[in-house]
Amino acid sequence: FVPARRGEPCVLPVGLEGVRLKTVVRPQPSLSPGKRLRWLTSSRLPLELLQEDSAGPRNVFESWRTGAYDVVWFSRAASFELLGRPRLGPTVVDIDDLEDQKILTRLAATRGDEAIDGVLPRVHHAVARAQAKTNATRWSRFQRSVAGTVDRVVLCSELDAKRSGVTNVAVVPNGYDAPTHPVGREEVGDPPNLLLAGSFGYPPNAD
């Protein structure tokens, strides 16, 4: 799945020409006030999943897949849900990030922001925090629900495995071999200067 704003094509690495590839462009998510109200009152899904249009990608997937498979690996729980939680063989879902923990971390980081001037901004801030807490709870339930319907889920650390509350979890650490010796200067300034080359649209980077 690629977002609509992405222009470059998906190209397989050299040597994988025999692999079947289908790229599906995901429409820009939308969340009207009516959808948000329905989410608060009736939906059990996380807010981000309510914004997705699952019919199009699911129809493409159904026409593309063939028969049964020896193993099926889904990148992210949201993709598994978006495609209708298909059961095509032994299934692994790489949960990737615990979204509930990311939300709770952001809430903790902004706990000191309550000193906001004006009634409307304070109300908006309070509603946003309440919505985020509700969303964190739904992400937690959703992640456990996905784990309960597949053979294995994958997380990147023992800490996340413990936080997830699921038993059928395998830990696959992020790939990084720490160097024996640091590259460049070992001493740092006080305060240190940090260069981060990354998108601040990605919440962990912003944090």
Side-chain angles (χ1 to χ4, degrees), residues 3-5 9 12 35 42 56 76 87 95 106 109 116 126 143 145-146 164 166 170 185 190 202-203:
R5 66 179 182 275
L12 288 173
K35 277 187 177 181
S42 60
R76 302 191 178 216
R87 189 67 180 177
I95 290 182
R106 289 197 295 271
I116 300 174
Q143 289 157 177
S145 171
V146 167
S164 70
V166 303
R185 296 181 304 134
D190 185 17
Y202 179 54

Side-chain angles (χ1 to χ4, degrees), residues 6 15 22 30-31 36-37 54 57 60-61 63 72 78 86 88 90 101 109 114 119 145 147 151 166 183 187 199 201:
R6 177 174 171 174
K22 180 68 177 180
S30 62
L31 191 62
R36 193 180 295 272
L37 181 60
S54 63
V60 173
F61 182 70
S63 65
V72 183
L88 308 173
Q101 296 298 318
E114 276 73 17
V119 175
S145 171
D151 298 276
V166 303
V183 177
E187 68 278 2
S199 168

Side-chain angles (χ1 to χ4, degrees), residues 80-81 85 139-150 166:
F80 181 63
E81 179 72 23
R85 301 194 178 196
W139 268 112
S140 178
R141 290 174 181 167
F142 169 70
Q143 289 157 177
R144 291 198 301 270
S145 171
V146 167
T149 60
V150 298
V166 303

Side-chain angles (χ1 to χ4, degrees), residues 35 41 56 61 67 99 115 129 148 155 158 197 206:
K35 277 187 177 181
T41 57
F61 182 70
E99 297 295 337
R129 289 185 65 85
L155 289 165
E158 295 291 349

Side-chain angles (χ1 to χ4, degrees), residues 34-119:
K35 277 187 177 181
R36 193 180 295 272
L37 181 60
R38 286 195 297 275
W39 173 77
L40 284 170
T41 57
S42 60
S43 175
R44 296 183 179 180
L45 287 174
L47 185 60
E48 292 80 1
L49 294 184
L50 189 67
Q51 301 177 61
E52 296 284 359
D53 174 19
S54 63
R58 193 173 300 180
N59 289 337
V60 173
F61 182 70
E62 288 298 322
S63 65
W64 174 86
R65 68 178 182 87
T66 56
Y69 297 86
D70 296 315
V71 65
V72 183
W73 187 290
F74 283 94
S75 174
R76 302 191 178 216
S79 299
F80 181 63
E81 179 72 23
L82 189 62
L83 295 179
R85 301 194 178 196
R87 189 67 180 177
L88 308 173
T91 302
V92 178
V93 173
D94 184 354
I95 290 182
D96 188 35
D97 292 324
L98 292 176
E99 297 295 337
D100 59 323
Q101 296 298 318
K102 288 164 64 176
I103 293 170
L104 293 174
T105 299
R106 289 197 295 271
L107 285 173
T110 58
R111 190 170 290 137
D113 292 350
E114 276 73 17
I116 300 174
D117 293 332
V119 175

